[in-house]
Amino acid sequence: MNHGLFDAGLLVVGAGPAGVPAAVMASSLRMTTIVVEAVAVGSKVAAIGALENVPGRWTTGAALADALASDLARHQAAGRVTVLTGRAVQVAGHDGRAEAALDDGQVLTAGAVVVATGAATLSVEDAAWIEAPVDLMTPPLWRTAPEQLADRHVVVLGSDRPLGTWLWAHPDTATHLDVLYPAGDAYKTDEVSDEARGRLDLVERVAVAAIPGDRFRITAYHPAGGSHTFTTDQVLSNMGSKPAALDGLVVAADGYCPPELQHPRVLVAGDLKGARLIAVTMGDGSRSGLLPYFEAQTLPTGQAGRPVGSQIARHNLTISDLALTVRAVPICPIRHEATG
Ligand SMILES: Cc1cc2nc3c(=O)[nH]c(=O)nc-3n(C[C@H](O)[C@H](O)[C@H](O)COP(=O)(O)OP(=O)(O)OC[C@H]3O[C@@H](n4cnc5c(N)ncnc54)[C@H](O)[C@@H]3O)c2cc1C
C-alpha cells in the first residue's frame, strides 16, 4: 500500500449532489480537499431526464451535473481541491487522521473523510423474487434511452419510482413497458396507473432466461396461482437501489449508514445515510464539509482536550484531535452569518 500519497484537510468520497457541496464548502473555508470519484462528477444525476423539485432552475439532471462539475473545477483552479478518478474500497478513522483506501492500493489521508457514495442500483441477484442466471445483464431502466428500445418488446422488472420519471421525461416515446412487480412495490404504482404506455402486472416471482437470438424467456408466477411464459427482446431492471456502503462504515439493519454510529472523523452524507432527494443531499453535503471547521472554530484552543458531543466522547476522542487537523491547513476568517 502507498500510504499518505496525498494528505488533505478533508477527503470526500463520491462527487454527487452530496459530495460536491461538501468539497466546495471545505474549499471555501480554505481547507485543502481531495475528492475521489469512481465514475464522473454527478454521474447519477446526469441520467435524470426531468427535475422538478430542485431549487436553482434545474430542469434536467444533466444541467445540474454540469454545474456540479464546474463548481469543482472552479475550486480546483484555485488550487484547493484535487479531484482523483478512483474507487474507494474502505475508510477508517484513527486518533490523528482519517483514511480512504482505493482499489489500486493507494491510501489517502486527511483530518476527516466525508463518504457520499450514494446508493447503487439493485440488480436481479439482489431480488429474492427473481430467478435468473448470475451473469444475466439487465440494464437499469433509468439509464436507458428510448432510442435503445425502439421497436422492441420491453419487460421491466420492478416498479420503482424511476418508472414514472422515465415515462414523463420521454413523453414522445411510443415504447410500451410491460412491468412485472412484486407486492412490496405495489405502493409505487399509483403514479403510473393511468399511463397508457405501460402495463402493470403483479407477480409473486419471475424466472428469466437468456435464449438464442439475444432474446429472453420469462415466466411470471401470479399470487393467485398459475403462471404465463412469454419471450421478449429486452429486460430492464427497476428494483430500486441499496446504499453504497464502503468497508469500514457502520451499517444499520436497513443498509444505510447512520452518521452517529461512525467514527468521529468519518462523516456520511447524502443518500448513503438515507437522504434520498437532491436538495436534501446538497444541504447535507454542505453541512458535512462545514462540520470539522465549525467544530474547531466554536471551541477555543483553551478548551482543547474536553470531550465534545456524545460520539466523540464515545470514541474516547477529544476535540483537540479535530482542531489540530483543521489548524494544520490554511484557514481564513469567516463571518458568523456565513456559518449560519
Ligand atoms: C432515476 C432517478 C430519478 C431521480 N429523480 C430525482 C428527482 O427528480 N429529484 C430528486 O430530488 N431526486 C431524484 N433522485 C434521487 C437523487 O438522484 C439522489 O437523492 C441523489 O443523487 C443523491 O446524491 P448523493 O450525492 O448522495 O449520491 P449519488 O448522486 O449517488 O452520488 C454518489 C457518487 O459517488 C460515486 N461513488 C460511488 N461509490 C464510490 C466509490 N466506492 N468510490 C468513489 N466514488 C464512488 C458515484 O459514482 C457517484 O458519482 C432520482 C434518482 C434516480 C435513480
Side-chain angles (χ1 to χ4, degrees), residues 13-19 36-40 43-45 48 50-51 53-54 86-88 116-119 142 162 165 246 269-271 276-278 281:
V13 181
V36 184
E37 167 54 50
V39 183
S43 61
K44 174 178 275 182
V45 289
I48 300 175
L51 279 185
N53 61 349
V54 185
R87 183 167 289 279
T117 45
W142 67 278
T165 311
L246 302 181
D271 274 12
R276 296 176 200 175
L277 283 173
I278 291 167
T281 64

PDB file of all heavy atoms in Angstrom, residues 13-19 36-40 43-45 48 50-51 53-54 86-88 116-119 142 162 165 246 269-271 276-278 281, ligand 1:
ATOM      1  N   VAL A  13     -15.372  11.268  -0.563  1.00  0.00           N
ATOM      2  CA  VAL A  13     -15.516  10.115  -1.455  1.00  0.00           C
ATOM      3  C   VAL A  13     -16.902  10.186  -2.102  1.00  0.00           C
ATOM      4  O   VAL A  13     -17.921  10.119  -1.416  1.00  0.00           O
ATOM      5  CB  VAL A  13     -15.368   8.786  -0.682  1.00  0.00           C
ATOM      6  CG1 VAL A  13     -15.493   7.609  -1.648  1.00  0.00           C
ATOM      7  CG2 VAL A  13     -14.035   8.732   0.047  1.00  0.00           C
ATOM      8  N   GLY A  14     -16.917  10.348  -3.425  1.00  0.00           N
ATOM      9  CA  GLY A  14     -18.182  10.447  -4.160  1.00  0.00           C
ATOM     10  C   GLY A  14     -18.474  11.895  -4.513  1.00  0.00           C
ATOM     11  O   GLY A  14     -18.550  12.749  -3.636  1.00  0.00           O
ATOM     12  N   ALA A  15     -18.616  12.159  -5.818  1.00  0.00           N
ATOM     13  CA  ALA A  15     -18.849  13.542  -6.266  1.00  0.00           C
ATOM     14  C   ALA A  15     -20.242  13.681  -6.865  1.00  0.00           C
ATOM     15  O   ALA A  15     -20.427  13.991  -8.036  1.00  0.00           O
ATOM     16  CB  ALA A  15     -17.781  13.963  -7.280  1.00  0.00           C
ATOM     17  N   GLY A  16     -21.249  13.414  -6.033  1.00  0.00           N
ATOM     18  CA  GLY A  16     -22.640  13.634  -6.424  1.00  0.00           C
ATOM     19  C   GLY A  16     -23.145  14.903  -5.758  1.00  0.00           C
ATOM     20  O   GLY A  16     -22.349  15.735  -5.291  1.00  0.00           O
ATOM     21  N   PRO A  17     -24.463  15.066  -5.674  1.00  0.00           N
ATOM     22  CA  PRO A  17     -25.037  16.269  -5.056  1.00  0.00           C
ATOM     23  C   PRO A  17     -24.724  16.406  -3.571  1.00  0.00           C
ATOM     24  O   PRO A  17     -24.930  17.482  -3.004  1.00  0.00           O
ATOM     25  CB  PRO A  17     -26.542  16.101  -5.254  1.00  0.00           C
ATOM     26  CG  PRO A  17     -26.712  15.042  -6.242  1.00  0.00           C
ATOM     27  CD  PRO A  17     -25.484  14.193  -6.265  1.00  0.00           C
ATOM     28  N   ALA A  18     -24.236  15.353  -2.924  1.00  0.00           N
ATOM     29  CA  ALA A  18     -23.790  15.487  -1.529  1.00  0.00           C
ATOM     30  C   ALA A  18     -22.288  15.765  -1.472  1.00  0.00           C
ATOM     31  O   ALA A  18     -21.842  16.675  -0.756  1.00  0.00           O
ATOM     32  CB  ALA A  18     -24.117  14.224  -0.739  1.00  0.00           C
ATOM     33  N   GLY A  19     -21.511  15.009  -2.228  1.00  0.00           N
ATOM     34  CA  GLY A  19     -20.052  15.137  -2.139  1.00  0.00           C
ATOM     35  C   GLY A  19     -19.529  16.467  -2.661  1.00  0.00           C
ATOM     36  O   GLY A  19     -18.629  17.062  -2.054  1.00  0.00           O
ATOM     37  N   VAL A  36     -12.546  11.987  -4.338  1.00  0.00           N
ATOM     38  CA  VAL A  36     -12.334  10.735  -5.078  1.00  0.00           C
ATOM     39  C   VAL A  36     -13.663  10.337  -5.705  1.00  0.00           C
ATOM     40  O   VAL A  36     -14.666  10.183  -4.995  1.00  0.00           O
ATOM     41  CB  VAL A  36     -11.884   9.593  -4.134  1.00  0.00           C
ATOM     42  CG1 VAL A  36     -11.582   8.343  -4.938  1.00  0.00           C
ATOM     43  CG2 VAL A  36     -10.670  10.019  -3.337  1.00  0.00           C
ATOM     44  N   GLU A  37     -13.685  10.209  -7.015  1.00  0.00           N
ATOM     45  CA  GLU A  37     -14.929   9.860  -7.715  1.00  0.00           C
ATOM     46  C   GLU A  37     -14.650   8.686  -8.652  1.00  0.00           C
ATOM     47  O   GLU A  37     -13.713   8.715  -9.438  1.00  0.00           O
ATOM     48  CB  GLU A  37     -15.457  11.076  -8.487  1.00  0.00           C
ATOM     49  CG  GLU A  37     -16.548  10.786  -9.491  1.00  0.00           C
ATOM     50  CD  GLU A  37     -17.775  10.043  -8.933  1.00  0.00           C
ATOM     51  OE1 GLU A  37     -18.314  10.469  -7.899  1.00  0.00           O
ATOM     52  OE2 GLU A  37     -18.172   9.023  -9.537  1.00  0.00           O
ATOM     53  N   ALA A  38     -15.495   7.663  -8.554  1.00  0.00           N
ATOM     54  CA  ALA A  38     -15.255   6.437  -9.320  1.00  0.00           C
ATOM     55  C   ALA A  38     -15.646   6.565 -10.785  1.00  0.00           C
ATOM     56  O   ALA A  38     -15.018   5.969 -11.653  1.00  0.00           O
ATOM     57  CB  ALA A  38     -16.034   5.277  -8.684  1.00  0.00           C
ATOM     58  N   VAL A  39     -16.677   7.322 -11.084  1.00  0.00           N
ATOM     59  CA  VAL A  39     -17.200   7.360 -12.455  1.00  0.00           C
ATOM     60  C   VAL A  39     -17.016   8.746 -13.067  1.00  0.00           C
ATOM     61  O   VAL A  39     -16.164   8.958 -13.924  1.00  0.00           O
ATOM     62  CB  VAL A  39     -18.694   6.939 -12.487  1.00  0.00           C
ATOM     63  CG1 VAL A  39     -19.227   6.913 -13.911  1.00  0.00           C
ATOM     64  CG2 VAL A  39     -18.884   5.575 -11.825  1.00  0.00           C
ATOM     65  N   ALA A  40     -17.814   9.683 -12.658  1.00  0.00           N
ATOM     66  CA  ALA A  40     -17.726  11.068 -13.142  1.00  0.00           C
ATOM     67  C   ALA A  40     -18.501  11.949 -12.187  1.00  0.00           C
ATOM     68  O   ALA A  40     -19.425  11.465 -11.509  1.00  0.00           O
ATOM     69  CB  ALA A  40     -18.326  11.184 -14.546  1.00  0.00           C
ATOM     70  N   SER A  43     -22.424  11.698 -11.761  1.00  0.00           N
ATOM     71  CA  SER A  43     -22.729  10.618 -12.719  1.00  0.00           C
ATOM     72  C   SER A  43     -24.157  10.095 -12.578  1.00  0.00           C
ATOM     73  O   SER A  43     -24.768   9.709 -13.565  1.00  0.00           O
ATOM     74  CB  SER A  43     -21.737   9.469 -12.561  1.00  0.00           C
ATOM     75  OG  SER A  43     -21.800   8.926 -11.265  1.00  0.00           O
ATOM     76  N   LYS A  44     -24.687  10.100 -11.371  1.00  0.00           N
ATOM     77  CA  LYS A  44     -26.067   9.606 -11.243  1.00  0.00           C
ATOM     78  C   LYS A  44     -27.060  10.664 -11.720  1.00  0.00           C
ATOM     79  O   LYS A  44     -27.912  10.376 -12.561  1.00  0.00           O
ATOM     80  CB  LYS A  44     -26.394   9.236  -9.798  1.00  0.00           C
ATOM     81  CG  LYS A  44     -27.863   8.867  -9.660  1.00  0.00           C
ATOM     82  CD  LYS A  44     -28.234   8.444  -8.277  1.00  0.00           C
ATOM     83  CE  LYS A  44     -27.940   6.971  -8.089  1.00  0.00           C
ATOM     84  NZ  LYS A  44     -28.325   6.512  -6.753  1.00  0.00           N
ATOM     85  N   VAL A  45     -26.951  11.878 -11.221  1.00  0.00           N
ATOM     86  CA  VAL A  45     -27.973  12.870 -11.593  1.00  0.00           C
ATOM     87  C   VAL A  45     -27.941  13.178 -13.087  1.00  0.00           C
ATOM     88  O   VAL A  45     -28.964  13.542 -13.668  1.00  0.00           O
ATOM     89  CB  VAL A  45     -27.860  14.179 -10.767  1.00  0.00           C
ATOM     90  CG1 VAL A  45     -28.284  13.955  -9.340  1.00  0.00           C
ATOM     91  CG2 VAL A  45     -26.497  14.800 -10.842  1.00  0.00           C
ATOM     92  N   ILE A  48     -30.761  11.726 -15.004  1.00  0.00           N
ATOM     93  CA  ILE A  48     -32.164  12.016 -14.658  1.00  0.00           C
ATOM     94  C   ILE A  48     -32.732  12.974 -15.706  1.00  0.00           C
ATOM     95  O   ILE A  48     -32.274  14.108 -15.849  1.00  0.00           O
ATOM     96  CB  ILE A  48     -32.281  12.620 -13.237  1.00  0.00           C
ATOM     97  CG1 ILE A  48     -31.728  11.628 -12.206  1.00  0.00           C
ATOM     98  CG2 ILE A  48     -33.730  12.969 -12.925  1.00  0.00           C
ATOM     99  CD1 ILE A  48     -31.685  12.174 -10.784  1.00  0.00           C
ATOM    100  N   ALA A  50     -35.733  14.506 -16.123  1.00  0.00           N
ATOM    101  CA  ALA A  50     -36.547  15.675 -15.765  1.00  0.00           C
ATOM    102  C   ALA A  50     -36.438  15.926 -14.273  1.00  0.00           C
ATOM    103  O   ALA A  50     -36.538  15.002 -13.473  1.00  0.00           O
ATOM    104  CB  ALA A  50     -37.994  15.413 -16.147  1.00  0.00           C
ATOM    105  N   LEU A  51     -36.231  17.195 -13.897  1.00  0.00           N
ATOM    106  CA  LEU A  51     -36.148  17.573 -12.479  1.00  0.00           C
ATOM    107  C   LEU A  51     -37.199  18.645 -12.210  1.00  0.00           C
ATOM    108  O   LEU A  51     -37.305  19.611 -12.962  1.00  0.00           O
ATOM    109  CB  LEU A  51     -34.782  18.181 -12.153  1.00  0.00           C
ATOM    110  CG  LEU A  51     -33.590  17.263 -11.908  1.00  0.00           C
ATOM    111  CD1 LEU A  51     -32.388  18.103 -11.494  1.00  0.00           C
ATOM    112  CD2 LEU A  51     -33.910  16.224 -10.840  1.00  0.00           C
ATOM    113  N   ASN A  53     -37.995  19.387  -8.564  1.00  0.00           N
ATOM    114  CA  ASN A  53     -38.016  19.753  -7.146  1.00  0.00           C
ATOM    115  C   ASN A  53     -36.677  20.273  -6.633  1.00  0.00           C
ATOM    116  O   ASN A  53     -36.433  20.257  -5.437  1.00  0.00           O
ATOM    117  CB  ASN A  53     -38.451  18.536  -6.311  1.00  0.00           C
ATOM    118  CG  ASN A  53     -37.495  17.361  -6.476  1.00  0.00           C
ATOM    119  OD1 ASN A  53     -36.629  17.380  -7.348  1.00  0.00           O
ATOM    120  ND2 ASN A  53     -37.631  16.352  -5.638  1.00  0.00           N
ATOM    121  N   VAL A  54     -35.821  20.705  -7.549  1.00  0.00           N
ATOM    122  CA  VAL A  54     -34.512  21.193  -7.101  1.00  0.00           C
ATOM    123  C   VAL A  54     -34.429  22.700  -7.345  1.00  0.00           C
ATOM    124  O   VAL A  54     -34.459  23.134  -8.500  1.00  0.00           O
ATOM    125  CB  VAL A  54     -33.365  20.476  -7.852  1.00  0.00           C
ATOM    126  CG1 VAL A  54     -32.021  20.905  -7.284  1.00  0.00           C
ATOM    127  CG2 VAL A  54     -33.530  18.966  -7.751  1.00  0.00           C
ATOM    128  N   GLY A  86     -11.043   7.413  -9.107  1.00  0.00           N
ATOM    129  CA  GLY A  86     -10.662   6.178  -8.428  1.00  0.00           C
ATOM    130  C   GLY A  86     -11.829   5.665  -7.620  1.00  0.00           C
ATOM    131  O   GLY A  86     -12.788   6.394  -7.374  1.00  0.00           O
ATOM    132  N   ARG A  87     -11.744   4.409  -7.250  1.00  0.00           N
ATOM    133  CA  ARG A  87     -12.823   3.803  -6.449  1.00  0.00           C
ATOM    134  C   ARG A  87     -12.318   3.530  -5.042  1.00  0.00           C
ATOM    135  O   ARG A  87     -11.349   2.780  -4.864  1.00  0.00           O
ATOM    136  CB  ARG A  87     -13.303   2.510  -7.114  1.00  0.00           C
ATOM    137  CG  ARG A  87     -14.467   1.854  -6.384  1.00  0.00           C
ATOM    138  CD  ARG A  87     -15.109   0.790  -7.222  1.00  0.00           C
ATOM    139  NE  ARG A  87     -15.855   1.341  -8.345  1.00  0.00           N
ATOM    140  CZ  ARG A  87     -17.090   1.842  -8.263  1.00  0.00           C
ATOM    141  NH1 ARG A  87     -17.729   1.853  -7.112  1.00  0.00           N
ATOM    142  NH2 ARG A  87     -17.689   2.314  -9.340  1.00  0.00           N
ATOM    143  N   ALA A  88     -12.951   4.139  -4.081  1.00  0.00           N
ATOM    144  CA  ALA A  88     -12.590   3.876  -2.690  1.00  0.00           C
ATOM    145  C   ALA A  88     -13.202   2.550  -2.272  1.00  0.00           C
ATOM    146  O   ALA A  88     -14.334   2.225  -2.667  1.00  0.00           O
ATOM    147  CB  ALA A  88     -13.102   4.990  -1.796  1.00  0.00           C
ATOM    148  N   ALA A 116     -19.767  10.030   0.619  1.00  0.00           N
ATOM    149  CA  ALA A 116     -21.023  10.423  -0.052  1.00  0.00           C
ATOM    150  C   ALA A 116     -21.171   9.575  -1.309  1.00  0.00           C
ATOM    151  O   ALA A 116     -21.261  10.096  -2.420  1.00  0.00           O
ATOM    152  CB  ALA A 116     -21.007  11.909  -0.377  1.00  0.00           C
ATOM    153  N   THR A 117     -21.183   8.269  -1.102  1.00  0.00           N
ATOM    154  CA  THR A 117     -21.192   7.349  -2.247  1.00  0.00           C
ATOM    155  C   THR A 117     -22.600   7.004  -2.719  1.00  0.00           C
ATOM    156  O   THR A 117     -22.769   6.237  -3.671  1.00  0.00           O
ATOM    157  CB  THR A 117     -20.430   6.050  -1.889  1.00  0.00           C
ATOM    158  OG1 THR A 117     -20.844   5.617  -0.592  1.00  0.00           O
ATOM    159  CG2 THR A 117     -18.935   6.276  -1.875  1.00  0.00           C
ATOM    160  N   GLY A 118     -23.618   7.552  -2.065  1.00  0.00           N
ATOM    161  CA  GLY A 118     -24.980   7.406  -2.561  1.00  0.00           C
ATOM    162  C   GLY A 118     -25.521   5.989  -2.477  1.00  0.00           C
ATOM    163  O   GLY A 118     -25.193   5.225  -1.571  1.00  0.00           O
ATOM    164  N   ALA A 119     -26.347   5.668  -3.440  1.00  0.00           N
ATOM    165  CA  ALA A 119     -26.988   4.351  -3.474  1.00  0.00           C
ATOM    166  C   ALA A 119     -26.716   3.711  -4.825  1.00  0.00           C
ATOM    167  O   ALA A 119     -26.693   4.385  -5.847  1.00  0.00           O
ATOM    168  CB  ALA A 119     -28.491   4.500  -3.240  1.00  0.00           C
ATOM    169  N   TRP A 142     -33.631   3.471 -15.811  1.00  0.00           N
ATOM    170  CA  TRP A 142     -33.404   4.918 -15.741  1.00  0.00           C
ATOM    171  C   TRP A 142     -32.134   5.351 -16.466  1.00  0.00           C
ATOM    172  O   TRP A 142     -31.960   6.527 -16.736  1.00  0.00           O
ATOM    173  CB  TRP A 142     -33.416   5.405 -14.298  1.00  0.00           C
ATOM    174  CG  TRP A 142     -32.284   4.924 -13.436  1.00  0.00           C
ATOM    175  CD1 TRP A 142     -32.204   3.733 -12.807  1.00  0.00           C
ATOM    176  CD2 TRP A 142     -31.100   5.639 -13.103  1.00  0.00           C
ATOM    177  NE1 TRP A 142     -31.038   3.649 -12.099  1.00  0.00           N
ATOM    178  CE2 TRP A 142     -30.342   4.811 -12.258  1.00  0.00           C
ATOM    179  CE3 TRP A 142     -30.596   6.903 -13.423  1.00  0.00           C
ATOM    180  CZ2 TRP A 142     -29.111   5.196 -11.736  1.00  0.00           C
ATOM    181  CZ3 TRP A 142     -29.369   7.286 -12.895  1.00  0.00           C
ATOM    182  CH2 TRP A 142     -28.648   6.437 -12.074  1.00  0.00           C
ATOM    183  N   PRO A 162     -38.333   5.409 -10.626  1.00  0.00           N
ATOM    184  CA  PRO A 162     -37.842   5.868 -11.944  1.00  0.00           C
ATOM    185  C   PRO A 162     -38.787   5.550 -13.091  1.00  0.00           C
ATOM    186  O   PRO A 162     -38.692   6.144 -14.158  1.00  0.00           O
ATOM    187  CB  PRO A 162     -36.507   5.114 -12.100  1.00  0.00           C
ATOM    188  CG  PRO A 162     -36.036   4.910 -10.709  1.00  0.00           C
ATOM    189  CD  PRO A 162     -37.294   4.680  -9.890  1.00  0.00           C
ATOM    190  N   THR A 165     -40.714   8.713 -13.675  1.00  0.00           N
ATOM    191  CA  THR A 165     -39.772   9.745 -14.137  1.00  0.00           C
ATOM    192  C   THR A 165     -39.369   9.484 -15.585  1.00  0.00           C
ATOM    193  O   THR A 165     -39.313  10.388 -16.407  1.00  0.00           O
ATOM    194  CB  THR A 165     -38.505   9.737 -13.256  1.00  0.00           C
ATOM    195  OG1 THR A 165     -38.909   9.759 -11.897  1.00  0.00           O
ATOM    196  CG2 THR A 165     -37.624  10.937 -13.546  1.00  0.00           C
ATOM    197  N   LEU A 246     -19.177   1.565   2.124  1.00  0.00           N
ATOM    198  CA  LEU A 246     -17.798   1.096   1.980  1.00  0.00           C
ATOM    199  C   LEU A 246     -17.416   0.293   3.213  1.00  0.00           C
ATOM    200  O   LEU A 246     -17.969   0.505   4.305  1.00  0.00           O
ATOM    201  CB  LEU A 246     -16.843   2.289   1.870  1.00  0.00           C
ATOM    202  CG  LEU A 246     -17.082   3.280   0.738  1.00  0.00           C
ATOM    203  CD1 LEU A 246     -16.028   4.382   0.789  1.00  0.00           C
ATOM    204  CD2 LEU A 246     -17.042   2.573  -0.607  1.00  0.00           C
ATOM    205  N   ALA A 269     -22.783  11.375   4.271  1.00  0.00           N
ATOM    206  CA  ALA A 269     -23.691  12.405   3.774  1.00  0.00           C
ATOM    207  C   ALA A 269     -24.503  11.875   2.606  1.00  0.00           C
ATOM    208  O   ALA A 269     -24.089  10.948   1.909  1.00  0.00           O
ATOM    209  CB  ALA A 269     -22.891  13.637   3.341  1.00  0.00           C
ATOM    210  N   GLY A 270     -25.670  12.479   2.401  1.00  0.00           N
ATOM    211  CA  GLY A 270     -26.483  12.192   1.215  1.00  0.00           C
ATOM    212  C   GLY A 270     -27.259  10.891   1.317  1.00  0.00           C
ATOM    213  O   GLY A 270     -27.632  10.442   2.393  1.00  0.00           O
ATOM    214  N   ASP A 271     -27.473  10.268   0.171  1.00  0.00           N
ATOM    215  CA  ASP A 271     -28.299   9.057   0.124  1.00  0.00           C
ATOM    216  C   ASP A 271     -27.735   7.924   0.958  1.00  0.00           C
ATOM    217  O   ASP A 271     -28.479   7.045   1.393  1.00  0.00           O
ATOM    218  CB  ASP A 271     -28.436   8.577  -1.329  1.00  0.00           C
ATOM    219  CG  ASP A 271     -29.593   9.271  -2.039  1.00  0.00           C
ATOM    220  OD1 ASP A 271     -30.122  10.261  -1.487  1.00  0.00           O
ATOM    221  OD2 ASP A 271     -29.956   8.833  -3.146  1.00  0.00           O
ATOM    222  N   ARG A 276     -32.069  10.726   0.114  1.00  0.00           N
ATOM    223  CA  ARG A 276     -32.962  10.340  -0.983  1.00  0.00           C
ATOM    224  C   ARG A 276     -33.515  11.437  -1.882  1.00  0.00           C
ATOM    225  O   ARG A 276     -34.314  11.167  -2.755  1.00  0.00           O
ATOM    226  CB  ARG A 276     -34.132   9.506  -0.470  1.00  0.00           C
ATOM    227  CG  ARG A 276     -33.659   8.202   0.099  1.00  0.00           C
ATOM    228  CD  ARG A 276     -34.788   7.423   0.688  1.00  0.00           C
ATOM    229  NE  ARG A 276     -34.275   6.439   1.616  1.00  0.00           N
ATOM    230  CZ  ARG A 276     -35.006   5.674   2.365  1.00  0.00           C
ATOM    231  NH1 ARG A 276     -36.299   5.749   2.318  1.00  0.00           N
ATOM    232  NH2 ARG A 276     -34.461   4.807   3.188  1.00  0.00           N
ATOM    233  N   LEU A 277     -33.180  12.668  -1.688  1.00  0.00           N
ATOM    234  CA  LEU A 277     -33.601  13.733  -2.610  1.00  0.00           C
ATOM    235  C   LEU A 277     -32.432  14.692  -2.811  1.00  0.00           C
ATOM    236  O   LEU A 277     -31.664  14.952  -1.876  1.00  0.00           O
ATOM    237  CB  LEU A 277     -34.798  14.509  -2.059  1.00  0.00           C
ATOM    238  CG  LEU A 277     -36.156  13.818  -2.160  1.00  0.00           C
ATOM    239  CD1 LEU A 277     -37.211  14.616  -1.422  1.00  0.00           C
ATOM    240  CD2 LEU A 277     -36.565  13.590  -3.611  1.00  0.00           C
ATOM    241  N   ILE A 278     -32.352  15.234  -4.013  1.00  0.00           N
ATOM    242  CA  ILE A 278     -31.175  16.020  -4.369  1.00  0.00           C
ATOM    243  C   ILE A 278     -30.988  17.229  -3.453  1.00  0.00           C
ATOM    244  O   ILE A 278     -29.898  17.460  -2.920  1.00  0.00           O
ATOM    245  CB  ILE A 278     -31.281  16.465  -5.846  1.00  0.00           C
ATOM    246  CG1 ILE A 278     -31.139  15.236  -6.750  1.00  0.00           C
ATOM    247  CG2 ILE A 278     -30.226  17.512  -6.180  1.00  0.00           C
ATOM    248  CD1 ILE A 278     -31.534  15.467  -8.186  1.00  0.00           C
ATOM    249  N   THR A 281     -29.772  16.208  -0.098  1.00  0.00           N
ATOM    250  CA  THR A 281     -28.384  15.741  -0.082  1.00  0.00           C
ATOM    251  C   THR A 281     -27.414  16.915  -0.247  1.00  0.00           C
ATOM    252  O   THR A 281     -26.321  16.896   0.303  1.00  0.00           O
ATOM    253  CB  THR A 281     -28.109  14.710  -1.190  1.00  0.00           C
ATOM    254  OG1 THR A 281     -28.273  15.314  -2.452  1.00  0.00           O
ATOM    255  CG2 THR A 281     -28.995  13.517  -1.083  1.00  0.00           C
TER     256      THR A 281
HETATM  257  C1  LIG B   1     -33.964   7.643 -11.850  1.00  0.00           C
HETATM  258  C2  LIG B   1     -33.814   8.559 -10.683  1.00  0.00           C
HETATM  259  C3  LIG B   1     -34.525   9.731 -10.672  1.00  0.00           C
HETATM  260  C4  LIG B   1     -34.398  10.609  -9.604  1.00  0.00           C
HETATM  261  N1  LIG B   1     -35.097  11.758  -9.648  1.00  0.00           N
HETATM  262  C5  LIG B   1     -34.967  12.643  -8.648  1.00  0.00           C
HETATM  263  C6  LIG B   1     -35.678  13.882  -8.700  1.00  0.00           C
HETATM  264  O1  LIG B   1     -36.398  14.170  -9.639  1.00  0.00           O
HETATM  265  N2  LIG B   1     -35.494  14.734  -7.662  1.00  0.00           N
HETATM  266  C7  LIG B   1     -34.711  14.447  -6.579  1.00  0.00           C
HETATM  267  O2  LIG B   1     -34.609  15.267  -5.682  1.00  0.00           O
HETATM  268  N3  LIG B   1     -34.024  13.282  -6.504  1.00  0.00           N
HETATM  269  C8  LIG B   1     -34.141  12.380  -7.508  1.00  0.00           C
HETATM  270  N4  LIG B   1     -33.451  11.192  -7.447  1.00  0.00           N
HETATM  271  C9  LIG B   1     -32.633  10.915  -6.260  1.00  0.00           C
HETATM  272  C10 LIG B   1     -31.272  11.590  -6.385  1.00  0.00           C
HETATM  273  O3  LIG B   1     -30.654  11.188  -7.580  1.00  0.00           O
HETATM  274  C11 LIG B   1     -30.412  11.253  -5.191  1.00  0.00           C
HETATM  275  O4  LIG B   1     -31.094  11.616  -3.993  1.00  0.00           O
HETATM  276  C12 LIG B   1     -29.067  11.976  -5.222  1.00  0.00           C
HETATM  277  O5  LIG B   1     -28.389  11.747  -6.447  1.00  0.00           O
HETATM  278  C13 LIG B   1     -28.200  11.505  -4.067  1.00  0.00           C
HETATM  279  O6  LIG B   1     -26.994  12.201  -4.085  1.00  0.00           O
HETATM  280  P1  LIG B   1     -25.670  11.586  -3.410  1.00  0.00           P
HETATM  281  O7  LIG B   1     -24.594  12.565  -3.684  1.00  0.00           O
HETATM  282  O8  LIG B   1     -25.966  11.167  -2.027  1.00  0.00           O
HETATM  283  O9  LIG B   1     -25.401  10.237  -4.222  1.00  0.00           O
HETATM  284  P2  LIG B   1     -25.150   9.997  -5.787  1.00  0.00           P
HETATM  285  O10 LIG B   1     -25.824  11.004  -6.632  1.00  0.00           O
HETATM  286  O11 LIG B   1     -25.490   8.555  -5.999  1.00  0.00           O
HETATM  287  O12 LIG B   1     -23.588  10.233  -5.944  1.00  0.00           O
HETATM  288  C14 LIG B   1     -22.664   9.307  -5.435  1.00  0.00           C
HETATM  289  C15 LIG B   1     -21.380   9.436  -6.225  1.00  0.00           C
HETATM  290  O13 LIG B   1     -20.399   8.618  -5.594  1.00  0.00           O
HETATM  291  C16 LIG B   1     -19.700   7.884  -6.573  1.00  0.00           C
HETATM  292  N5  LIG B   1     -19.238   6.653  -5.932  1.00  0.00           N
HETATM  293  C17 LIG B   1     -19.991   5.597  -5.513  1.00  0.00           C
HETATM  294  N6  LIG B   1     -19.209   4.679  -4.935  1.00  0.00           N
HETATM  295  C18 LIG B   1     -17.939   5.160  -4.983  1.00  0.00           C
HETATM  296  C19 LIG B   1     -16.691   4.661  -4.517  1.00  0.00           C
HETATM  297  N7  LIG B   1     -16.602   3.479  -3.917  1.00  0.00           N
HETATM  298  N8  LIG B   1     -15.583   5.405  -4.710  1.00  0.00           N
HETATM  299  C20 LIG B   1     -15.666   6.626  -5.338  1.00  0.00           C
HETATM  300  N9  LIG B   1     -16.828   7.134  -5.796  1.00  0.00           N
HETATM  301  C21 LIG B   1     -17.952   6.418  -5.607  1.00  0.00           C
HETATM  302  C22 LIG B   1     -20.722   7.630  -7.666  1.00  0.00           C
HETATM  303  O14 LIG B   1     -20.079   7.392  -8.918  1.00  0.00           O
HETATM  304  C23 LIG B   1     -21.497   8.936  -7.664  1.00  0.00           C
HETATM  305  O15 LIG B   1     -20.949   9.900  -8.540  1.00  0.00           O
HETATM  306  C24 LIG B   1     -33.554  10.296  -8.512  1.00  0.00           C
HETATM  307  C25 LIG B   1     -32.824   9.098  -8.530  1.00  0.00           C
HETATM  308  C26 LIG B   1     -32.953   8.240  -9.597  1.00  0.00           C
HETATM  309  C27 LIG B   1     -32.174   6.944  -9.606  1.00  0.00           C
END
